[in-house]
Amino acid sequence: SDAGRWSYPSLFCVAFAGGEEDLELLRAQAQQGAGIFACDAFAAFGEASADLGHLPAGSAASHGQAVFVTALPKESALSRCAAEHQSTAACRAASLPDVWLAVEKDGRHRDHDWVVQLDPAAAFLPGRLRWRLKTSGGAAAQRRYIETDSGCGSADALQVISMPAFEALLKGTETCQKQLHQQPAGTGEFLRGCLDLLKASPMEEFSGILSDNSGERGLCPISPCWDSSKVAFSSFKSAQDLLACLREAQECSMSRNGEVISCSGRRQ
């Protein structure tokens, strides 16, 4: 085991590519060493294996490492979903239990404190999440998860689960599918219901760390990417817009209490 190799809190980040658009978003992030590729370790899965290029020199995970999407088994829900020509979002949701099994087979998640599950269309800032989790005390040793559904963010875009809770999820998914059969197995509602059923408790003090920046959620405000109260911004349609959000976030200077001082030298 590599336990202790990473400082607390260490993140194992997982993304699932439900189609070519997702692959392009992941490829753009990999080549910048951003998003899940800035976590302590990561895994990406999809219907077929795919080359995402190389991480840049100096990236958090590994300098110049070649990164790939790992194919899910042919009998996975993704193959059935694609054959039925369902939407990318529907295919992603249907396939997440298969992704969890693939993570279990991979096994590297056990060396980390938290599992972070991400939509490829989300601009994610692992450093912000680590900073927030450092205040959570011993939560990583308990069955805990972060409640990301504040009503103004797509909860499916970001899930943060402690290692004990994720291990319970791996063992209890089949039970949850039987008891929560009215909810699609890969949705945020199913995941929260399953974790609650497995006696994992939500960390409600983290509510609001996800912003939906699509502009499609009515009265919900779009948060600027320099807003350090958010750790992820979801629903970007293009790699260009997603990377622009990450650049904006990284170019901003923060005070010790998280208040933005300046972005690119300008007062905010």
Side-chain angles (χ1 to χ4, degrees):
S1 170
D2 285 330
R5 174 179 168 186
W6 291 274
S7 59
Y8 180 86
S10 63
L11 308 177
F12 183 80
C13 297
V14 182
F16 170 68
E20 188 58 38
E21 290 181 1
D22 285 350
L23 284 175
E24 288 304 312
L25 290 166
L26 285 176
R27 191 171 287 117
Q29 293 174 72
Q31 292 169 4
Q32 297 292 323
I36 73 164
F37 306 102
C39 295
D40 300 286
F42 56 81
F45 299 95
E47 181 181 11
S49 59
D51 184 353
L52 297 179
H54 290 75
L55 298 181
S59 58
S62 180
H63 298 196
Q65 173 187 339
V67 286
F68 300 90
V69 168
T70 301
L72 292 178
K74 292 296 184 184
E75 65 274 14
S76 71
L78 176 59
S79 298
R80 298 192 298 273
C81 178
E84 295 169 3
H85 304 292
Q86 296 185 37
S87 69
T88 296
C91 287
R92 187 186 296 118
S95 303
L96 282 178
D98 294 314
V99 172
W100 299 335
L101 290 174
V103 171
E104 181 178 32
K105 183 177 179 180
D106 178 286
R108 290 177 296 140
H109 68 286
R110 297 187 181 92
D111 295 325
H112 300 275
D113 301 304
W114 298 86
V115 172
V116 181
Q117 178 182 295
L118 282 156
D119 183 337
F124 173 54
L125 295 137
R128 290 185 182 180
L129 179 59
R130 290 190 190 97
W131 187 84
R132 297 289 293 271
L133 288 172
K134 281 183 179 179
T135 68
S136 64
Q142 305 165 20
R143 291 188 182 184
R144 305 295 303 275
Y145 68 95
I146 291 180
E147 174 59 84
T148 58
D149 186 7
S150 62
C152 282
S154 175
D156 294 349
L158 173 70
Q159 305 290 346
V160 185
I161 310 170
S162 72
M163 194 53 56
F166 190 74
E167 287 292 320
L169 177 66
L170 293 176
K171 294 180 176 67
T173 298
E174 188 173 339
T175 298
C176 290
Q177 287 175 320
K178 291 177 181 177
Q179 298 199 30
L180 303 172
H181 56 85
Q182 293 182 334
Q183 296 172 349
T187 62
E189 293 80 42
F190 172 86
L191 180 58
R192 290 191 299 277
C194 184
L195 287 168
D196 290 343
L197 194 66
L198 298 171
K199 309 300 183 185
S201 55
M203 299 169 68
E204 295 175 349
E205 67 272 24
F206 283 74
S207 177
I209 64 172
L210 171 67
S211 172
D212 187 326
N213 281 31
S214 66
E216 298 174 356
R217 296 179 72 86
L219 299 177
C220 291
I222 295 177
S223 297
C225 297
W226 50 256
D227 181 352
S228 60
S229 70
K230 312 297 182 187
V231 306
F233 305 84
S234 68
S235 305
F236 287 99
K237 303 297 185 184
S238 73
Q240 181 179 0
D241 290 343
L242 189 154
L243 293 178
C245 177
L246 291 175
R247 280 195 302 272
E248 179 182 322
Q250 292 160 355
E251 288 169 0
C252 293
S253 301
M254 309 288 174
S255 65
R256 292 179 72 88
N257 65 2
E259 181 182 350
V260 175
I261 299 172
S262 65
C263 291
S264 300
R266 297 188 301 273
R267 256 277 348 138
Q268 296 297 315

